[in-house]
Each structure stands twice: as structure tokens, then as C-alpha cells.
Amino acid sequence: MNLVLLGPPGAGKGTQAERLSETFGFFHLSSGDVLRAERKRGSALGKRVAGYMDAGELVPDEIIMEVILEQVRSSPESAGFLLDGFPRTRTQAERLEEALTGEGRRTRGALSLEVPDEEIVERITGRRICPTCRRVYHVKYQPPAKPGQCDADGASLDHRSDDTVEVVEQRLRAYHEQTEPLKTFYRERDLLFEVDGSREMEAVFEGCSRIVRGLMNEAGA
Ligand code: ADP
Ligand code: AMP
């Protein structure tokens, strides 16, 4: 079963995707992680997207589309995928559905994590990430056992260069202008599920899990 996660930057998509994938066996694909890995490798793609990412703007559809759709197509059909950060524009959503239809697959639901802008800034500025295993922490809401160190592998945690007050404003603008309208795209297809993402992580996880189980039961019925 294939799902997409919607929501503003810092809403908790990566955090929930990690838990949902562990629990339900989804193939988790984060477009932001894919792009950051390309930058780290110093690839041509990484160099093309750096300016957009640092400015908090979406990278152009034609750049992101091929790299993500290729990974979606090659994802194991048995697991089903959980897309985190893609699609982010109407064109991306339409192209995703076209690509899936061509393979006899489809998106079964879009879970939208709803978090007000006022809460986003604190989540984003306090976020820390393990550079090796990609585990996500928060200095206040999900601190590692030892400050600055990943619980899983001891690596020194990173602070993303776009996780600043200045850049987050532009990222929120991009979300409201270009990504939020996707809720209508999925609602029109009876695929939208809104989840109150402002609650504690565990409560958000329970809300998402209930929806996933409901969809799985329907699929099995
Ligand atoms: P996204 O993938 O949507 O950008 P993340 O999952 O990386 O968001 O979460 C952003 C930050 O907020 C992280 O530091 C994470 O630990 C924290 N966070 C995630 N969910 C919650 C929550 N329900 N309550 C408080 N903090 C949260
Ligand atoms: P994220 O890790 O999801 O917060 O994404 C970080 C940055 O990567 C964004 O601010 C964009 O510049 C870029 N990005 C990630 N996913 C997409 C996408 N689907 N479309 C366009 N840009 C993207």
C-alpha cells in the first residue's frame, strides 16, 4: 500500500515516517534526504539544487521529478512506499499518479500533518540530525541521551544549514503557496486524511497508525 505524507517543513513527517515504516514495513523515501545525499557526494545534481535549498525554495519540478520517480518505480511493490516531502507541487502529484498508473499501482492515501506556523519555528530551529543513520532529534522534544550525540551510533549530530529562522520563513511561504493546495488535489480523489500534528509524537503516531490500519483493512476486504 502506497502513501504520501504532507505537511509544512518541521511538521514531523520524517519522525512519523520512521516509526510507520518500522511498524508497517513501508519503504520510506524522503526527497529532502535524497537531495542532501547528492549534495554531500558533490554530484552534478547536488550542485544544481544547492542554491534553491539554501534559499528555502523548492527545486524546479523537472530536476526533482526524475530522481524521485525512478526510486519510486524501483521500490519493492510488496512493501508499499511512504513518500516524505514528495510531491510538493501539483505537477509532481500528477506525474506521480501517471507514473504509478503506468505500473498498475496507485496512491492509497495522503496523510497531512497539520501544525500551525507558530510551532514550526521552534521545531525547525531545535532539530538535530544524525549524519550517518539520519535519525531525527530535537533539543527539547526528543533529546539524545548524551547532548549532541546520536543514541544509535554515537555520531556528532548536525544542524541543517536551512534550519534557521530566516530560511524557515521562505520554506513556510513555499509550503503555503505551492504544497498546501495539494490537499485539495487529494481531497477531490477521496484520499486526504488530516492529522493533528501539533500533539505529542506518540499521539500523532497513534492517529496516523489508525488511518493506516483502516486503509489496510479496506484493501484486504
Ligand atoms: P519534517 O520531516 O516534517 O520536516 P521532522 O520529523 O524532521 O519534520 O520534525 C521536525 C522537528 O520537530 C524534529 O526535531 C523532531 O524531533 C520534532 N518533532 C517531530 N514531531 C514532533 C511532535 N509531535 N512534537 C514536538 N516535536 C516534534
Ligand atoms: P525537506 O528535507 O523535505 O525539508 O526538504 C529540504 C529542501 O529540499 C526543500 O526546502 C527544497 O529546497 C528541497 N526539496 C525537497 N523535496 C522537494 C520536492 N518534492 N520538490 C521541490 N523541492 C524539494
Side-chain angles (χ1 to χ4, degrees):
M1 190 175 75
N2 307 314
L3 297 176
V4 305
L5 276 174
L6 299 175
K13 300 182 294 297
T15 302
Q16 296 300 330
E18 200 178 303
R19 295 259 332 249
L20 291 167
S21 303
E22 257 171 41
T23 307
F24 297 102
F26 290 115
F27 176 79
H28 172 202
L29 186 58
S30 152
S31 50
D33 279 352
V34 169
L35 296 179
R36 279 184 290 278
E38 292 290 334
R39 287 183 69 172
K40 212 167 180 176
R41 286 201 303 130
S43 70
L45 173 67
K47 292 195 175 101
R48 281 176 81 193
V49 299
Y52 299 102
M53 294 175 79
D54 290 343
E57 290 165 14
L58 295 188
V59 312
D61 287 335
E62 59 278 13
I63 299 183
I64 184 94
M65 216 111 71
E66 265 327 296
V67 56
I68 299 298
L69 291 183
E70 194 185 310
Q71 297 209 22
V72 165
R73 283 194 203 98
S74 59
S75 69
E77 202 169 335
S78 54
F81 58 71
L82 182 57
L83 292 182
D84 154 12
F86 185 95
R88 258 180 155 102
T89 63
R90 193 175 174 101
T91 305
Q92 291 177 18
E94 286 169 351
R95 290 284 305 279
L96 171 65
E97 290 318 306
E98 280 165 25
L100 290 173
T101 306
E103 316 243 312
R105 301 169 79 179
R106 68 189 176 105
T107 300
R108 284 298 311 268
L111 272 59
S112 177
L113 300 182
E114 305 292 321
V115 180
D117 288 5
E118 309 81 78
E119 286 179 42
I120 291 298
V121 176
E122 197 192 4
R123 286 200 188 180
I124 288 269
T125 51
R127 171 162 57 190
R128 300 291 181 272
I129 294 183
C130 175
T132 45
C133 73
R134 317 239 54 84
R135 193 184 274 211
V136 180
Y137 297 88
H138 190 280
V139 290
K140 181 166 158 195
Y141 300 119
Q142 199 176 27
K146 284 192 198 151
Q149 258 194 4
C150 178
D151 295 342
D153 57 27
S156 289
L157 300 180
D158 277 350
H159 186 201
R160 273 170 54 175
S161 60
D162 58 344
D163 276 352
T164 60
V165 177
E166 299 74 37
V167 182
V168 79
E169 278 177 19
Q170 173 53 36
R171 290 163 68 195
L172 278 170
R173 232 186 331 265
Y175 169 73
H176 290 303
E177 285 170 14
Q178 293 168 275
T179 309
E180 205 170 15
L182 284 187
K183 284 167 62 180
T184 307
F185 176 93
Y186 287 108
R187 191 181 289 116
E188 284 168 355
R189 289 160 180 76
D190 273 337
L191 294 174
L192 184 74
F193 299 88
E194 288 174 289
V195 177
D196 178 0
S198 66
R199 297 167 296 168
E200 285 192 353
M201 288 175 208
E202 194 57 38
V204 180
F205 176 65
E206 276 165 28
C208 292
S209 298
R210 208 170 306 124
I211 293 164
V212 172
R213 275 195 295 271
L215 287 170
M216 282 178 162
N217 287 341
E218 256 178 46

